[in-house]
Amino acid sequence: MGLLWLLQAWGSRPAARACRAVVFDMGGVLLPSPYACARDWEVRNGVPPGTVRRAVACGRHDRPWMKYMRGELTADEFVRAFARQCFDITNSPVPVDSFLSDLTSKEMSQQLPAMTEAIRCIRAEGLKTAVLSNNFYLHSGASFLPLDRKQFDVIVESCREGICKPDPRIYTLCLERLGVQPNESIFLDDIGQNLKAAAQLGMNTLKVDDPEVALKELENFLGFPLRGAVPFTRSVRPTMEIPQVPLQKYLENVLGSHTTGSLLIRQFSHGQSNPTYYVEYGDRRLVLRKKPPGKLLPSAHAVEREYRVLRALAEAGVPVPRALAFCEDSSIIGTPFYLMEYCAGHVYKDPSLPGLEPSQRRAIYAAMNQVLAQIHSVDLKAAGLEDYGKHGNYVQRQVQTWTKQYRATETHTIPAMERLIEWLPLHLPQAHQVTLVHGDFSSLSFWSRLDNLIFHPERPQVLAVLDWELSTLGDPISDVAYSCMAHYLPSSFSLLKGLGNCDLTHLGIPTAEEHFHTYCGHMGIPPIEGWNFYMAFSFFRVAAILQGVYKRSLTGQASSATAESGGKQAESMADLAWDFATKEGFRVFKAMPPMTPSGRPYSTWAWQGPFPRRSYVTVPHSSSAPAHLILSPEGLSGRAQDLYRRLRRFMDAHVYPAEQALRDHQVSQTRWTLHPLVEELKGKAKSEGLWNLFLPLETDPEVRYGAGLTNLEYAHLCELMGMSLHAPEIFNCSAPDTGNMEVLLRYGTEEQKERWLQPLLDGEIRSCFAMTEPQVASSDATNIESSIVEEEGFYVLNGHKWWISGALDPRCRLCVFMGKTNPGAPRHKQQSMLLVPMDTPGVTVTRPLSVYGLDDPPGRNHRKNNLSI
């Protein structure tokens, strides 16, 4: 249930006989037969029997009826042409206009109830549905389609496509839009020639003379019932079947021997985590929740806890289904399970609540908000739930738990998850009151087709809160944040429809902030800060859950058929979580008092003589700054703090004392040669592990080449290195080598890595990046004019570059060169990057360039040069 029900909304397993789609004609199948309508009309208007049928059937493909069906005639044109045709048949005037009115009347526009129920059952099984109709335009210009479009994946109307049945092209068009092969579909029509054309393409066909009889035949073909549908259920999937005989005996013991009758079991189409079944035995309607089969994660899928909390909450007056019995005996159906009464009511599938008035939407959200506050207000002692979970540090424990769960199901590196795993423990909010928390309180049906709240069908009242698997004692604000996730997702989101781009005021739906303030009013507490943290944690947890679902799908343990495709959305959720983490950082930063500027004088000038004594503190050690924020080095992880301290000691001991000698060298006659002190300090930095600190964890997840820092952690170390113009090179963290190394690491071949990347990582060579050109505004790379032409297995480069950092460095061995390889391609796809050895014939470094009279020798990041190829 809850969040874990969401994947079913994406589709399901093909049904029996590998049928994946059911295609319906409209008139005579979904709607009453137009020929029956014609017979009645003919009787009432004294028209000879069979006149309409003859007019429809006789003639060639250009007869009025077919032209009308292809959209070639307007309604007025059709009435005149069809009237003339009927006159030719009867030799008397025929009131065709009244026939068209009868054909589109209210009685003819009512979908057959049996077909409506059948479509619901078909879609519950995960099959696609389509309408393929020879249809026409009304006098208003709209097509005649009195159906709920949401019932169908595809609707094909002849008047819109310009082709009619039995033309094979219209069947092919429908199948292509459904994404199925002909033999994976079945087509229902009441006209033989239409069915014959479909069968010739390989489609299964079923002639509809009597809709009730046809549905029985369709049931036999599909292999599941098309009547008596229980909302949001389907036939039990083969891998999720439970033995009926032992379950029936168990039910007799629990319900009493007087309960008799056949046993019906269907599976709810939600339920990624704990498989959930609808059980009907005699006159009793029940829900069975069980642990999934196979090896499970520790403490997960605790159905016994669900049963306990349901019993306690029912006595406390919280709206929950009545829990009947808990069975620990795995020999009954394979795993422990519990039974509760089935609660019938209304479930909202769309968070925007279409079809309701703004006042009704507001009332629905208010009821949801109120019941959440009611849950959080339960007296733990009176309910016997004081020991239901640990008291205190809830969010910290949750972060640890979901991190552990994620690590246990990790299949590949998700960079945002890595950042969150480090960020969340360092930004934990202050502890709030301890209450019962639901743990999966997704508001309304935001995460699935049937979610955790069942409403009264006629008034805004919550009848039952479902899915208590993740409930415990903890921070109630986490539940509130979790219920607001849909507010931050767009309505077009692939897994679920969000509210992010909706006009909530117009809809009458409260914003997330209004929802939170209403909740605080119910609870009698002031609004808390750190909302972005709670949202970051909520999406982090969703990402961890989806990763677990995805991993279980690989082993066949996930209980929804689309778990595999849905589980891959873990990366999207992690990215959303990181967005909120970033917002929280900005919020705290803006709330901090102004900081004292650094006391260290700074200059790029090659000054003759010593600088005054300096201070290197950039972040004040102020007690007013929250200690858990990474706005100062003290907030870094232990490993990053250790690197920061070692780097600071190295700067103090070696880099700053060497600065004067290196500045003197910059203005000497030998300034275009390397100073041996730089190489000496590079060796020391490498030996102390202060080397290649720049490589981000997401580029080097196995930490084979760098220090394994996140960009946030590296920022603090980078600030330290920025205190000296010479420091970046000493720690092998200077541009353009840093960017070039990362490109080689991400995209280079093994041969390129061995030739260029490893020497760069070792600090043995340098590189340059050649993009900017003197004739064009090169900050827009689409203006680049240098050409790259392939000739006889070689690339011929022709161009003039300038402001090329590092090109004059005597150790520069590699140029990363940008040029155009395909000038005729779209503007942003014309360019390519080539690796050019600097000793390649034709490469000429013309001269150094200066900035404000400075040439910045002998070859650091800021030295720019003129280069021709």
Side-chain angles (χ1 to χ4, degrees):
M1 296 185 191
L3 162 68
L4 298 181
W5 301 4
L6 64 97
L7 298 178
Q8 179 59 27
W10 250 3
S12 188
R13 172 185 64 85
R17 299 196 187 187
C19 183
R20 296 175 56 202
V22 181
V23 183
F24 298 89
D25 179 33
M26 187 166 66
V29 178
L30 297 174
L31 303 179
S33 170
Y35 290 114
C37 174
R39 287 193 298 269
D40 293 341
W41 174 81
E42 288 169 344
V43 170
R44 290 196 311 273
N45 290 276
V47 176
T51 298
V52 171
R53 183 180 285 272
R54 288 179 60 189
V56 168
C58 70
R60 296 175 301 175
H61 71 279
D62 60 347
R63 59 190 184 271
W65 182 265
M66 295 304 291
K67 292 178 71 174
Y68 189 35
M69 294 300 107
R70 291 195 297 267
E72 296 171 7
L73 298 178
T74 66
D76 290 336
E77 291 169 339
F78 165 72
V79 167
R80 290 193 294 270
F82 199 65
R84 287 193 297 269
Q85 188 180 20
C86 290
F87 180 85
D88 292 340
I89 295 172
T90 64
N91 288 318
S92 62
V94 175
V96 172
D97 198 21
S98 67
F99 167 64
L100 190 59
S101 297
D102 280 14
L103 190 61
T104 57
S105 65
K106 182 177 180 181
E107 292 75 15
M108 292 297 295
S109 302
Q110 298 296 318
Q111 184 170 317
L112 301 177
M115 286 294 176
T116 302
E117 186 173 17
I119 291 171
R120 188 182 303 120
C121 293
I122 290 167
R123 294 179 67 82
E125 295 293 325
L127 277 69
K128 294 181 178 180
T129 54
V131 172
L132 176 54
S133 173
N134 279 357
N135 206 13
F136 52 88
Y137 290 116
L138 301 170
H139 289 285
S140 65
S143 65
F144 175 63
L145 193 77
L147 303 173
D148 181 0
R149 291 176 176 268
K150 295 179 182 177
Q151 299 175 99
F152 308 101
D153 298 283
V154 170
I155 295 176
V156 178
E157 301 174 81
S158 61
C159 58
R160 295 185 182 277
E161 307 300 338
I163 47 178
C164 291
K165 295 177 294 184
D167 189 323
R169 293 177 297 168
I170 199 167
Y171 302 92
T172 302
L173 181 66
C174 182
L175 294 171
E176 288 176 350
R177 291 178 182 176
L178 283 168
V180 301
Q181 296 299 315
N183 63 353
E184 295 176 322
S185 67
I186 182 169
F187 175 53
L188 283 71
D189 202 306
D190 61 334
I191 299 178
Q193 64 176 352
N194 292 343
L195 294 166
K196 181 179 178 180
Q200 289 174 344
L201 287 174
M203 298 176 72
N204 299 289
T205 60
L206 199 163
K207 192 169 189 300
V208 181
D209 294 318
D210 182 327
E212 293 291 341
V213 174
L215 287 178
K216 290 180 180 179
E217 295 177 6
L218 184 59
E219 278 184 344
N220 293 333
F221 177 84
L222 296 175
F224 55 82
L226 299 178
R227 294 172 175 80
V230 178
F232 313 110
T233 68
R234 51 156 298 150
S235 56
V236 180
R237 297 187 182 91
T239 58
M240 293 293 165
E241 292 176 342
I242 56 179
Q244 295 198 18
V245 174
L247 177 60
Q248 184 167 338
K249 291 181 179 179
Y250 179 83
L251 292 175
E252 291 173 355
N253 292 331
V254 171
L255 303 177
S257 58
H258 62 278
T259 303
T260 58
S262 60
L263 177 64
L264 171 66
I265 301 176
R266 291 182 62 79
Q267 186 173 3
F268 281 98
S269 51
H270 51 265
Q272 296 282 2
S273 184
N274 292 329
T276 308
Y277 302 82
Y278 172 82
V279 178
E280 192 171 302
Y281 184 45
D283 60 350
R284 300 299 296 270
R285 304 173 74 191
L286 310 171
V287 174
L288 183 152
R289 289 264 287 173
K290 68 186 288 288
K291 290 190 177 186
K295 185 178 179 180
L296 305 175
L297 294 172
S299 74
H301 313 283
V303 293
E304 62 277 9
R305 284 175 58 83
E306 290 186 51
Y307 177 75
R308 177 189 173 187
V309 75
L310 284 172
R311 300 275 294 194
L313 289 175
E315 295 182 6
V318 175
V320 293
R322 181 187 171 204
L324 299 176
F326 174 70
C327 178
E328 295 181 285
D329 187 356
S330 297
S331 68
I332 305 295
I333 62 171
T335 61
F337 67 95
Y338 74 91
L339 292 168
M340 58 182 166
E341 290 186 342
Y342 175 75
C343 182
H346 194 93
V347 175
Y348 295 98
K349 304 176 184 180
D350 187 329
S352 64
L353 304 180
L356 298 185
E357 295 296 323
S359 60
Q360 294 174 309
R361 296 189 186 100
R362 194 174 300 110
I364 290 293
Y365 274 85
M368 183 270 293
N369 193 302
Q370 187 172 19
V371 81
L372 181 57
Q374 186 179 359
I375 292 168
H376 295 161
S377 300
V378 168
D379 187 324
L380 300 178
K381 185 176 181 180
L385 295 174
E386 281 187 302
D387 61 344
Y388 192 64
K390 296 179 180 179
H391 290 250
N393 300 322
Y394 169 75
V395 177
Q396 180 181 358
R397 287 184 282 107
Q398 284 288 297
V399 170
Q400 293 170 349
T401 296
W402 290 108
T403 298
K404 186 177 180 181
Q405 299 276 39
Y406 170 73
R407 291 299 189 202
T409 58
E410 189 175 11
T411 55
H412 61 288
T413 299
I414 301 178
M417 289 297 279
E418 299 301 323
R419 295 193 292 268
L420 288 161
I421 287 170
E422 291 201 39
W423 184 86
L424 288 167
L426 299 171
H427 296 77
L428 298 172
Q430 296 180 355
H432 298 282
Q433 65 182 122
V434 175
T435 71
L436 175 69
V437 292
H438 183 275
D440 194 11
F441 198 86
S442 3
S443 56
L444 306 177
S445 183
F446 294 169
W447 288 105
S448 64
R449 305 174 75 172
L450 176 63
D451 211 286
N452 290 337
L453 298 179
I454 298 178
F455 283 83
H456 193 282
E458 297 178 357
R459 56 179 181 268
Q461 175 189 350
V462 177
L463 295 180
V465 182
L466 308 177
D467 193 9
W468 293 85
E469 179 193 354
L470 300 178
S471 61
T472 186
L473 303 184
D475 187 340
I477 306 302
S478 62
D479 267 353
V480 186
Y482 202 65
S483 72
C484 289
M485 284 189 289
H487 281 75
Y488 300 101
L489 294 169
S491 59
S492 60
F493 193 67
S494 57
L495 274 184
L496 55 107
K497 189 172 182 179
L499 296 168
N501 55 346
C502 295
D503 186 343
L504 298 185
T505 302
H506 176 73
L507 292 174
I509 295 174
T511 64
E513 293 76 13
E514 291 169 341
H515 174 76
F516 179 48
H517 281 271
T518 300
Y519 167 85
C520 291
H522 287 312
M523 296 294 292
I525 61 174
I528 57 98
E529 294 182 341
W531 177 255
N532 288 318
F533 173 89
Y534 285 99
M535 292 309 306
F537 169 65
S538 295
F539 281 108
F540 168 77
R541 185 172 63 167
V542 172
I545 292 172
L546 286 174
Q547 180 61 32
V549 171
Y550 173 59
K551 178 65 177 291
R552 292 202 308 279
S553 75
L554 301 180
T555 59
Q557 288 179 267
S559 60
S560 283
T562 51
E564 180 176 354
S565 56
K568 294 177 182 178
Q569 294 297 317
E571 294 186 25
S572 298
M573 294 296 166
D575 289 338
L576 275 170
W578 185 247
D579 287 344
F580 278 103
T582 303
K583 292 177 184 177
E584 177 65 4
F586 278 114
R587 182 193 69 81
V588 175
F589 183 81
K590 290 178 180 178
M592 292 183 64
M595 295 184 293
T596 305
S598 170
R600 176 184 187 257
Y602 185 86
S603 174
T604 58
W605 189 266
W607 187 262
Q608 298 282 348
F611 276 111
R613 184 65 179 169
R614 299 164 296 186
S615 167
Y616 305 108
V617 178
T618 59
V619 179
H621 298 283
S622 170
S623 60
S624 62
H628 64 277
L629 299 173
I630 312 183
L631 293 176
S632 69
E634 288 75 14
L636 294 171
S637 64
R639 180 171 167 276
Q641 279 197 46
D642 178 64
L643 279 172
Y644 183 90
R645 287 191 290 267
R646 288 161 49 201
L647 180 65
R648 184 169 57 189
R649 286 196 297 269
F650 192 98
M651 294 282 290
D652 289 337
H654 304 292
V655 177
Y656 299 138
E659 280 188 324
Q660 189 59 52
L662 296 176
R663 282 195 298 273
D664 291 344
H665 180 68
Q666 277 188 291
V667 295
S668 68
Q669 293 297 320
T670 59
R671 64 184 183 277
W672 295 109
T673 62
L674 301 177
H675 196 293
L677 186 54
V678 173
E679 294 301 314
E680 178 186 334
L681 293 179
K682 285 169 62 177
K684 289 182 179 179
K686 187 187 298 185
S687 66
E688 294 189 21
L690 300 173
W691 193 252
N692 293 332
L693 303 172
F694 70 93
L695 271 176
L697 182 63
E698 59 187 283
T699 301
D700 183 25
E702 298 178 5
V703 196
R704 295 176 55 190
Y705 305 102
L709 298 173
T710 66
N711 278 341
L712 182 61
E713 291 171 329
Y714 178 61
H716 291 275
L717 277 66
C718 199
E719 181 187 35
L720 266 183
M721 288 185 281
M723 296 290 186
S724 169
L725 288 175
H726 308 275
E729 180 182 355
I730 290 171
F731 301 106
N732 211 38
C733 293
S734 59
D737 294 331
T738 50
N740 291 344
M741 283 188 273
E742 193 169 347
V743 167
L744 286 165
L745 182 56
R746 283 176 178 263
Y747 309 113
T749 65
E750 292 305 316
E751 180 182 356
Q752 291 166 345
K753 290 178 182 178
E754 181 180 356
R755 181 178 181 185
W756 304 116
L757 176 61
Q758 196 57 55
L760 283 167
L761 289 168
D762 293 339
E764 297 172 356
I765 65 173
R766 298 295 303 272
S767 63
C768 64
F769 179 71
M771 182 182 84
T772 308
E773 298 176 0
Q775 300 301 322
V776 295
S778 306
S779 58
D780 180 354
T782 62
N783 292 328
I784 297 302
E785 294 180 338
S786 295
S787 64
I788 302 175
V789 180
E790 185 176 5
E791 293 183 3
E792 300 179 356
F794 293 91
Y795 287 104
V796 178
L797 282 63
N798 188 8
H800 182 191
K801 304 286 186 177
W802 68 350
W803 305 111
I804 309 305
S805 302
L808 262 178
D809 193 302
R811 297 161 298 178
C812 183
R813 298 288 183 269
L814 174 68
C815 173
V816 180
F817 182 90
M818 172 182 278
K820 286 190 177 180
T821 50
N822 188 2
R827 188 181 182 196
H828 293 87
K829 295 185 178 181
Q830 300 176 3
Q831 302 79 16
S832 297
M833 299 282 197
L834 263 67
L835 303 181
V836 181
M838 288 297 287
D839 59 359
T840 301
V843 176
T844 303
V845 180
T846 308
R847 63 185 176 93
L849 300 176
S850 62
V851 179
Y852 297 133
L854 301 177
D855 49 25
D856 199 23
R860 293 193 308 276
N861 179 29
H862 301 284
R863 211 267 318 285
K864 308 290 182 179
N865 310 282
N866 226 6
L867 179 145
S868 296
I869 292 181

